[in-house]
Amino acid sequence: MHNSIRGGNFHGPVVQAHTAHVTVTPRPPTIAGLPPLTSAFTGREQDLAELRALLTTDGPSTVTVTGLGGIGKTTLATAVGHALLDAEHFSAAFLVDLRGYDGTPVEAGQALDTLLRALGVPAEHIPPDPETRAALYRARLEQHGGGVLVVADNASAADQVRLLQPPSTRHRLLVTSRETLPGLGARLHRLGVLGPEAAVALLDTVVRAARPDDARVTADPAAARRIAKLCSHLPLALRLAAAQLVLDPHFRSDELATDLADHAARLDLLDDGEVGVRIVLDRSYRRLTEPQAELFRLLALNPGPDISTDAAAALADAKVREARSRLARLVGSALVEQTAGGRWYLHDLVRDYALEQAGRHRAAGGSALQRLLVHYAETAVAADEEIEALPGRRGPGRFRDRGEALGWLECERANLVVTVRLAAAIGLPLVAVPLSSALVGHLVRWCRNDDAVAMTTAALSAALAVGIRSEEATARHNLGFAQGRARRFEEAMEALLTAGEIFQEVGDRKGEASAHANLAEILASLHQRQAAIDAIRYALTLVHGRDDPRWEARLSFNLGILLIDAERLDEADETFRRTATVFRDLGDRSGEGMSWGCVAQILSRRGRYDEAIEVHQRARTVCQEAGDRYNEALVLGDLGVTLVGAGRVGEAVGAHERAGRLLRETGDRQGESLSLRNLGIALRRAGRADEALAAHRRSLAVCQELGDRTGEGSTWIALQAVFKDLGRHEEAEEARRQADRAIDDAHAALSESIAIITSRQVGDAGVDNG
């Protein structure tokens, strides 16, 4: 791409110059125009605009473009040079290739020699030492008729470019490097990979450059997107992948995508014999210190998409500050990326390369992976204990408070789910089972039911493999709970009943009670209300008098919910007032607030709206004092329903809007869909039909996303009413038909579950055994 220097003993860098509106006398072969802008330059409009601004406004005279090797830094710098010359911001532009990642990088003195020649200094007048050359270089720049842009390409160290910095901001130095080079005092521009559309466009451009009528990329958009993703949207990898199509005109895009999906062979495929992704990464990897290289290799072992600093420290068996320093150096080398939230990740191709390197250090990798999995399990258990701890009774102390623990679980969710499955696969049940126990409740709250089922299934397989009955019981219980929330009722019943039997066998009364409490929830979902009440009452007999009043109060709270569902309001009211007192005495403000919220629901059902509203407000205050935003949202939703009943629809709209915001923040998608539906009902009552329509449509979208046919049916019914108000009768009739279909589907699924369970007499077994 660049002109090479031939002849004599000159070993300086390649330099290219472009001058706008100026006639330049021909000089030695070190001088040429900027390389032409390749037709494959695409998807960099924002980067181009940002660099133009950095190079033409007040600020440091030096700008550094950093990024992974092969990401397109040189192409972008060339494009910027052309754009600024065309706009007459500079009268001349020089590009000098410093070969920072070759075997013999160009030194500053060599670069200055070449630049001085480009600026018109005869060879015999160029001083021998770098500092004097730098002084002459600065003087010649100042004598130049217009501003000069110098592009120092492929720098690997600050010393290569420090002497090239111009004397004033009339001239600018644009450095490209895989390193951050903080010692330069330059403005930094981090270049990322291409977006998906631009990546596909690059593939198509490269293929059509060889054969303009070759439409293989555009003919199969799905395969093209897959190729782009498997190339990590990295320009170098995309060009190398496109070259495979150029080489073989009968090679289909989907075949190339299949080949690239083989992670073990992908780096081999992305190599044309002269340049390749592995070659580029090798050059960066070899520059790392051994501690940095070790951490780089180990990062590829993290089972999830990104990693925290604490987890990286556990992986490397290092102090947190040491891990942070190494990670920062890896980011500075463009081998690791950092998210806006301060987490760290590897692009997929870089991960492939890191795994290759890790394969050469298998023993260290095995022990590091085990440390990481234990770290995740221990921290998740600590987070769960912090969340469950009563005020004044802190958890293990790893987190400042409940909010931080919840935030950690959500942030690490993807890592934790995969960790359970990995721990199960490599035979670590004492990691898999406790971790799944700590995580399953949070996954179902976030409506990650499929994740919860997959995770608990893996934990059960790990427990069965080692034959520890107590671990098996816990794993079956967690699986049944997850299956129940996923509405896989017959499987859930079987898992919970078996768990209850094993808990009874090993003498774990609390575990047995928990299994029957979850069994009661499933029976209630199947409209077997009395069987559900019997199951929860049996669970209460297992824990009564066992010096665990909080657990007993929680079971009583669940009983109250079932009593409301059965329209036994007097018993329910008495139950909730009792649990409110117990929770208050224990200091469990969340439990107290939710108990009062249920008392308010009962008052609302009886039409005693003023009393209900007062008790709802009391419940909300208690939840706020507890810092429990999730239960505050639930109370606000119930308050909104009560306010509608009382005819105070304006206040109801506000309550539902606040509830929806809190539910979105806490990740309860199903709760959010219900909140939106209730908001729509309140807006319709307030005469705000268009807004009601928008709220219902948002609710419908969430229901469809979650596969909640029951909720979808209810929302279609609400939409039908709004369409009628608006006089849109055809749409109202279609909404009615959609509601009927959704409700029929939900009833059919429920009836099938009931039939299966009844045929197995599981319902009776649930009552007889508790």
Side-chain angles (χ1 to χ4, degrees), residues 174-201:
L174 177 59
V175 180
T176 74
S177 178
R178 301 177 199 177
E179 318 292 328
T180 302
L181 307 179
L184 283 181
R187 288 291 296 272
L188 296 177
H189 181 86
R190 182 83 170 193
L191 188 60
V193 295
L194 292 172
E197 291 183 7
V200 170

Short mmCIF file of all heavy atoms in Angstrom, two decimals, residues 174-201:
data_model
loop_
_atom_site.label_atom_id
_atom_site.label_comp_id
_atom_site.label_asym_id
_atom_site.label_seq_id
_atom_site.Cartn_x
_atom_site.Cartn_y
_atom_site.Cartn_z
N LEU A 174 -1.14 13.52 13.88
CA LEU A 174 -2.14 12.46 14.05
C LEU A 174 -1.41 11.13 14.15
O LEU A 174 -0.76 10.71 13.19
CB LEU A 174 -3.12 12.46 12.89
CG LEU A 174 -4.20 11.36 12.89
CD1 LEU A 174 -5.07 11.44 14.15
CD2 LEU A 174 -5.06 11.44 11.64
N VAL A 175 -1.49 10.50 15.31
CA VAL A 175 -0.77 9.25 15.57
C VAL A 175 -1.76 8.09 15.53
O VAL A 175 -2.87 8.20 16.09
CB VAL A 175 -0.08 9.30 16.95
CG1 VAL A 175 0.68 7.99 17.23
CG2 VAL A 175 0.84 10.49 17.05
N THR A 176 -1.39 7.01 14.87
CA THR A 176 -2.19 5.78 14.99
C THR A 176 -1.35 4.74 15.72
O THR A 176 -0.15 4.59 15.45
CB THR A 176 -2.61 5.22 13.61
OG1 THR A 176 -1.49 4.63 12.96
CG2 THR A 176 -3.21 6.31 12.74
N SER A 177 -1.99 4.04 16.65
CA SER A 177 -1.26 3.09 17.47
C SER A 177 -2.22 2.10 18.12
O SER A 177 -3.39 2.43 18.36
CB SER A 177 -0.48 3.82 18.57
OG SER A 177 0.21 2.90 19.40
N ARG A 178 -1.72 0.92 18.40
CA ARG A 178 -2.50 -0.02 19.21
C ARG A 178 -2.37 0.31 20.70
O ARG A 178 -3.09 -0.26 21.52
CB ARG A 178 -2.01 -1.45 18.96
CG ARG A 178 -2.12 -1.87 17.51
CD ARG A 178 -1.56 -3.26 17.28
NE ARG A 178 -1.25 -3.47 15.86
CZ ARG A 178 -0.70 -4.56 15.38
NH1 ARG A 178 -0.40 -5.56 16.18
NH2 ARG A 178 -0.45 -4.66 14.09
N GLU A 179 -1.44 1.20 21.02
CA GLU A 179 -1.20 1.58 22.42
C GLU A 179 -1.88 2.93 22.70
O GLU A 179 -2.05 3.75 21.80
CB GLU A 179 0.31 1.73 22.69
CG GLU A 179 1.18 0.66 22.09
CD GLU A 179 0.97 -0.71 22.71
OE1 GLU A 179 0.67 -0.76 23.92
OE2 GLU A 179 1.11 -1.71 21.98
N THR A 180 -2.20 3.16 23.96
CA THR A 180 -2.79 4.43 24.34
C THR A 180 -1.76 5.56 24.36
O THR A 180 -2.08 6.72 24.10
CB THR A 180 -3.45 4.31 25.73
OG1 THR A 180 -4.43 3.26 25.67
CG2 THR A 180 -4.13 5.59 26.15
N LEU A 181 -0.51 5.25 24.67
CA LEU A 181 0.59 6.23 24.69
C LEU A 181 0.26 7.44 25.57
O LEU A 181 0.26 8.59 25.11
CB LEU A 181 0.94 6.70 23.27
CG LEU A 181 1.24 5.60 22.24
CD1 LEU A 181 1.52 6.23 20.87
CD2 LEU A 181 2.38 4.72 22.69
N PRO A 182 -0.04 7.21 26.85
CA PRO A 182 -0.48 8.33 27.71
C PRO A 182 0.58 9.41 27.89
O PRO A 182 0.25 10.55 28.18
CB PRO A 182 -0.81 7.64 29.03
CG PRO A 182 -0.02 6.37 29.02
CD PRO A 182 0.02 5.94 27.59
N GLY A 183 1.87 9.07 27.71
CA GLY A 183 2.94 10.04 27.93
C GLY A 183 2.98 11.17 26.93
O GLY A 183 3.68 12.16 27.13
N LEU A 184 2.23 11.06 25.83
CA LEU A 184 2.26 12.10 24.80
C LEU A 184 1.44 13.32 25.17
O LEU A 184 1.62 14.39 24.59
CB LEU A 184 1.73 11.55 23.47
CG LEU A 184 2.65 10.64 22.66
CD1 LEU A 184 1.94 10.21 21.38
CD2 LEU A 184 3.94 11.37 22.33
N GLY A 185 0.50 13.17 26.08
CA GLY A 185 -0.40 14.28 26.39
C GLY A 185 -1.34 14.59 25.24
O GLY A 185 -1.78 15.73 25.07
N ALA A 186 -1.66 13.58 24.44
CA ALA A 186 -2.48 13.77 23.26
C ALA A 186 -3.96 13.57 23.58
O ALA A 186 -4.32 12.94 24.57
CB ALA A 186 -2.06 12.78 22.17
N ARG A 187 -4.82 14.10 22.71
CA ARG A 187 -6.23 13.77 22.77
C ARG A 187 -6.39 12.38 22.17
O ARG A 187 -5.84 12.07 21.12
CB ARG A 187 -7.05 14.78 21.96
CG ARG A 187 -7.16 16.14 22.62
CD ARG A 187 -8.01 16.10 23.88
NE ARG A 187 -9.39 15.75 23.60
CZ ARG A 187 -10.32 16.64 23.29
NH1 ARG A 187 -10.01 17.93 23.21
NH2 ARG A 187 -11.56 16.24 23.05
N LEU A 188 -7.18 11.54 22.84
CA LEU A 188 -7.34 10.15 22.42
C LEU A 188 -8.66 9.94 21.69
O LEU A 188 -9.70 10.49 22.09
CB LEU A 188 -7.29 9.21 23.63
CG LEU A 188 -5.98 9.16 24.41
CD1 LEU A 188 -6.13 8.23 25.62
CD2 LEU A 188 -4.85 8.69 23.52
N HIS A 189 -8.60 9.14 20.65
CA HIS A 189 -9.81 8.70 19.97
C HIS A 189 -9.72 7.18 19.84
O HIS A 189 -8.87 6.66 19.10
CB HIS A 189 -9.94 9.33 18.58
CG HIS A 189 -11.19 8.91 17.86
ND1 HIS A 189 -12.40 9.55 18.04
CD2 HIS A 189 -11.42 7.90 16.98
CE1 HIS A 189 -13.32 8.95 17.30
NE2 HIS A 189 -12.74 7.95 16.64
N ARG A 190 -10.59 6.48 20.56
CA ARG A 190 -10.59 5.01 20.54
C ARG A 190 -11.46 4.53 19.39
O ARG A 190 -12.65 4.84 19.33
CB ARG A 190 -11.12 4.47 21.87
CG ARG A 190 -11.12 2.95 21.98
CD ARG A 190 -9.77 2.43 22.40
NE ARG A 190 -9.80 1.01 22.74
CZ ARG A 190 -8.82 0.39 23.36
NH1 ARG A 190 -7.73 1.07 23.71
NH2 ARG A 190 -8.89 -0.88 23.64
N LEU A 191 -10.88 3.80 18.47
CA LEU A 191 -11.61 3.30 17.31
C LEU A 191 -12.16 1.92 17.61
O LEU A 191 -11.41 1.01 17.99
CB LEU A 191 -10.70 3.26 16.09
CG LEU A 191 -11.35 2.93 14.75
CD1 LEU A 191 -12.42 3.97 14.40
CD2 LEU A 191 -10.31 2.85 13.65
N GLY A 192 -13.47 1.76 17.47
CA GLY A 192 -14.10 0.46 17.71
C GLY A 192 -14.32 -0.29 16.41
O GLY A 192 -14.01 0.18 15.32
N VAL A 193 -14.90 -1.48 16.54
CA VAL A 193 -15.21 -2.29 15.36
C VAL A 193 -16.38 -1.65 14.62
O VAL A 193 -17.06 -0.76 15.12
CB VAL A 193 -15.55 -3.74 15.76
CG1 VAL A 193 -14.33 -4.42 16.38
CG2 VAL A 193 -16.73 -3.79 16.71
N LEU A 194 -16.61 -2.10 13.41
CA LEU A 194 -17.71 -1.58 12.60
C LEU A 194 -19.05 -2.03 13.16
O LEU A 194 -19.16 -3.05 13.83
CB LEU A 194 -17.57 -2.08 11.16
CG LEU A 194 -16.39 -1.54 10.35
CD1 LEU A 194 -16.30 -2.29 9.03
CD2 LEU A 194 -16.52 -0.05 10.11
N GLY A 195 -20.08 -1.26 12.83
CA GLY A 195 -21.43 -1.70 13.13
C GLY A 195 -21.82 -2.83 12.20
O GLY A 195 -21.20 -3.04 11.15
N PRO A 196 -22.89 -3.59 12.53
CA PRO A 196 -23.29 -4.75 11.71
C PRO A 196 -23.55 -4.40 10.25
O PRO A 196 -23.09 -5.11 9.35
CB PRO A 196 -24.56 -5.24 12.41
CG PRO A 196 -24.41 -4.79 13.83
CD PRO A 196 -23.70 -3.48 13.76
N GLU A 197 -24.27 -3.31 9.98
CA GLU A 197 -24.58 -2.96 8.59
C GLU A 197 -23.33 -2.57 7.81
O GLU A 197 -23.15 -2.96 6.66
CB GLU A 197 -25.60 -1.82 8.56
CG GLU A 197 -26.99 -2.23 9.05
CD GLU A 197 -27.99 -1.10 8.93
OE1 GLU A 197 -27.63 -0.06 8.33
OE2 GLU A 197 -29.12 -1.26 9.42
N ALA A 198 -22.46 -1.78 8.46
CA ALA A 198 -21.23 -1.37 7.79
C ALA A 198 -20.32 -2.57 7.54
O ALA A 198 -19.61 -2.64 6.52
CB ALA A 198 -20.50 -0.33 8.63
N ALA A 199 -20.33 -3.53 8.46
CA ALA A 199 -19.50 -4.73 8.28
C ALA A 199 -19.96 -5.53 7.07
O ALA A 199 -19.14 -6.00 6.26
CB ALA A 199 -19.55 -5.60 9.55
N VAL A 200 -21.26 -5.68 6.92
CA VAL A 200 -21.80 -6.39 5.75
C VAL A 200 -21.47 -5.61 4.46
O VAL A 200 -21.11 -6.19 3.43
CB VAL A 200 -23.31 -6.61 5.90
CG1 VAL A 200 -23.91 -7.13 4.59
CG2 VAL A 200 -23.59 -7.59 7.03
N ALA A 201 -21.60 -4.29 4.53
CA ALA A 201 -21.27 -3.46 3.36
C ALA A 201 -19.82 -3.63 2.96
O ALA A 201 -19.49 -3.67 1.76
CB ALA A 201 -21.57 -2.00 3.67
#
